[in-house]
Amino acid sequence: ATEAPLNTGVATITGAGSALTINGAGTTQIGAASASTATLNVQSGGVFNSGTGNITVNATGDIAITNGTFNANGNVTVNGGSLTRDATGLFVMTSGKTLTAQGGGTASFGGFQNFSGVNLTVTGAGSAIATTASSLNLTFGATVQISGGGHLDSAFGMNIGNSAGLHTITVDGAGSRMSAPSSCTWGAGGGVTNATFSNSAFGTFGSLALGTSVTAGSSGTVLVESGADVTTGLLLIGNTATASTNGSV
């Protein structure tokens, strides 16, 4: 259901021991720009293993992970379509790959979601990556780029860079947003997190702790410039008595 109008395609992997695997550098394309519909269901213990090629979810496409496991070994682009995972499912991406939401596409995770070494890109109004019932963590060199009115939202906390590695956050442009209503720690466990909000972008956080870890080498930095706006209920900056631990705004 990738080209012809009015077509419908559905693939379902269900039950423990059931798996659909894309070999080698194979790609996956779900849906089209319009007319057709396409759904990939991974449910009830079923497993989907992508190839190392690109995984694209177009406007008429949907990936639904319901108590199943989706192993993304290539870049994932949600291009106007949707990717959803419930609280009992798993979405696992290979380090060094990129998850992109664009063209109004959304990736929504019903439970805690950790991205290790993964790059998150959200661009365009209506495009979003979000957790709907738990926290979002980014570790081991994960990065974030938000532009053009895209959103990265957590239902609870959002911890970034609380592990070794450099973690870079860029939120740029009017309507572009990061939000988390609970506690957020950026730059802990020896990790470095550098965040920039610019050109009328905004962020809102329940609390924001920068470089507050007892682990030496931890650093959290936030730069707010060119009309951007960041709000928080509590700000902690380098408030631990540990050598070589830094926080700044």
Side-chain angles (χ1 to χ4, degrees):
T2 59
E3 295 181 0
L6 305 179
N7 288 346
T8 298
V10 178
T12 299
I13 309 104
T14 185
S18 303
L20 174 59
T21 299
I22 310 302
N23 292 328
T27 63
T28 301
Q29 185 173 346
I30 301 171
S34 62
S36 68
T37 62
T39 304
L40 173 61
N41 297 305
V42 188
Q43 61 191 38
S44 303
V47 177
F48 177 82
N49 301 302
S50 85
T52 58
N54 293 334
I55 304 148
T56 305
V57 188
N58 289 311
T60 67
D62 175 56
I63 295 175
I65 308 163
T66 309
N67 193 31
T69 299
F70 190 106
N71 293 313
N73 300 306
N75 296 321
V76 178
T77 300
V78 187
N79 183 33
S82 66
L83 184 157
T84 59
R85 174 184 66 74
D86 73 356
T88 58
L90 292 174
F91 178 82
V92 182
M93 283 196 77
T94 298
S95 178
K97 300 301 181 179
T98 299
L99 171 60
T100 300
Q102 64 184 36
T106 59
S108 177
F109 304 96
F112 171 79
Q113 181 66 37
N114 181 69
F115 291 104
S116 178
V118 171
N119 307 303
L120 301 185
T121 299
V122 190
T123 181
S127 304
I129 297 174
T131 60
T132 59
S134 192
S135 296
L136 174 66
N137 280 10
L138 292 94
T139 57
F140 293 104
T143 67
V144 175
Q145 296 86 35
I146 306 171
S147 62
H151 290 180
L152 178 64
D153 300 315
S154 171
F156 290 91
M158 185 184 296
N159 296 320
I160 302 176
N162 298 345
S163 60
L166 173 63
H167 308 76
T168 303
I169 303 166
T170 303
V171 188
D172 181 72
S176 299
R177 180 183 79 191
M178 283 182 69
S179 71
S182 298
S183 61
C184 303
T185 300
W186 295 359
V192 175
T193 300
N194 296 328
T196 301
F197 293 80
S198 59
N199 295 314
S200 301
F202 66 104
T204 178
F205 308 99
S207 66
L208 190 56
L210 305 175
T212 60
S213 173
V214 296
T215 305
S218 303
S219 175
T221 300
V222 173
L223 173 63
V224 184
E225 62 181 6
S226 56
D229 185 17
V230 174
T231 62
T232 181
L234 174 67
L235 180 62
L236 303 173
I237 304 176
N239 66 329
T240 54
T242 301
S244 302
T245 298
N246 301 289
S248 65
V249 175

